[in-house]
Amino acid sequence: QKEVEQDPGPLSVPEGAIVSLNCTYSNSAFQYFMWYRQYSRKGPELLMYTYSSGNKEDGRFTAQVDKSSKYISLFIRDSQPSDSATYLCAMSAAGGGNKLTFGTGTQLKVEL
Amino acid sequence: KAGVTQTPRYLIKTRGQQVTLSCSPISGHRSVSWYQQTPGQGLQFLFEYFSETQRNKGNFPGRFSGRQFSNSRSEMNVSTLELGDSALYLCASSLRGAHNEQFFGPGTRLTVL
């Protein structure tokens, strides 16, 4: 079983919809949680970085971490066609330096 | 500020050869990490360097190695290439040695024939 599980999709939504992306994890040592967006043939782009449990909002993006359930989410409001990409969750453990463990990514398509 | 740069962007090699990939981090960043991305396994951590020292290593065979120079630039080397080494190799840089935002380069796409 992988340390980080993420539904690969694909997920298709209409423009303007609220998108919910999720990851679950099994390693309770994970303390730092990130969401990356990756367009085809590009490197991942950091969207959100959070520490421990709670919510963080940045523009149309909200990241939620529930450490008691080992569950993290990314919400995208007012989704746009330009949001069509693969979304990767990543996490690191205390004492693990900068080593990131990634989910497999969810492919999102926002349709006009 | 310039982002992370990786060279070359594309590479084709044959089995048994070796390859060296290069990564230049964002100016001022001292930590460089390498990842392998494949359709089947996703993004997997290879190793991390901070101040010219390897701090972490993933579960890859010894054919995969790396180093970091005093200017924080990093190289990774793969010897005796196998078909399964075909992947996108990504480099990420961060300012400090732990729990920092990491910024990825565009990657080097390696094809092994």
Side-chain angles (χ1 to χ4, degrees):
Chain A
Q1 187 185 0
K2 293 192 172 202
E3 281 190 288
V4 181
E5 298 281 356
Q6 185 175 9
D7 187 335
L11 179 63
S12 184
V13 301
E15 184 180 9
I18 296 175
V19 176
S20 172
L21 304 166
N22 312 293
C23 287
T24 58
Y25 62 95
S26 56
N27 187 347
S28 57
F30 288 142
Q31 299 273 355
Y32 303 84
F33 305 92
M34 289 129 266
W35 285 95
Y36 284 86
R37 176 175 64 194
Q38 187 174 25
Y39 292 112
S40 181
R41 301 198 169 275
K42 302 281 188 182
E45 171 194 7
L46 181 64
L47 290 175
M48 301 290 280
Y49 180 94
T50 55
Y51 168 67
S52 200
S53 286
N55 293 358
K56 182 176 181 179
E57 187 174 320
D58 185 0
R60 296 186 296 114
F61 299 93
T62 299
Q64 284 186 353
V65 174
D66 182 349
K67 288 192 66 184
S68 62
S69 302
K70 297 190 178 68
Y71 188 87
I72 70 170
S73 301
L74 178 71
F75 297 95
I76 307 174
R77 289 183 298 281
D78 188 25
S79 56
Q80 304 294 312
S82 59
D83 294 328
S84 298
T86 296
Y87 289 80
L88 298 147
C89 64
M91 39 201 86
S92 66
N98 281 320
K99 176 186 174 182
L100 296 180
T101 302
F102 280 85
T104 50
T106 299
Q107 189 178 350
L108 171 67
K109 184 169 185 181
V110 181
E111 315 243 27
L112 286 167
Chain B
K1 189 183 265 192
V4 178
T5 57
Q6 292 187 245
T7 57
R9 291 293 311 280
Y10 302 92
L11 208 48
I12 299 175
K13 292 285 187 179
T14 55
R15 278 182 300 171
Q17 288 187 307
Q18 75 162 19
V19 67
T20 299
L21 312 181
S22 181
C23 171
S24 292
I26 292 170
S27 178
H29 284 198
R30 296 170 62 192
S31 171
V32 172
S33 299
W34 289 89
Y35 294 82
Q36 181 196 66
Q37 186 174 31
T38 58
Q41 298 297 318
L43 268 148
Q44 293 186 286
F45 174 79
L46 280 157
F47 27 66
E48 176 199 357
Y49 287 88
F50 179 75
S51 294
E52 302 178 66
T53 301
Q54 187 180 89
R55 288 159 43 100
N56 274 305
K57 192 177 191 314
N59 295 325
F60 279 83
R63 300 185 296 107
F64 292 81
S65 63
R67 59 178 176 167
Q68 186 179 34
F69 301 97
S70 58
N71 61 359
S72 296
R73 190 177 70 85
S74 178
E75 288 181 347
M76 68 162 282
N77 185 77
V78 188
S79 62
T80 319
L81 283 166
E82 300 177 0
L83 295 178
D85 297 334
S86 294
L88 181 67
Y89 289 88
L90 291 157
C91 163
S93 81
S94 61
L95 191 59
R96 295 183 299 273
H99 310 306
N100 284 258
E101 296 177 331
Q102 292 188 56
F103 301 92
F104 281 83
T108 294
R109 185 162 295 280
L110 172 65
T111 302
V112 182
L113 302 175

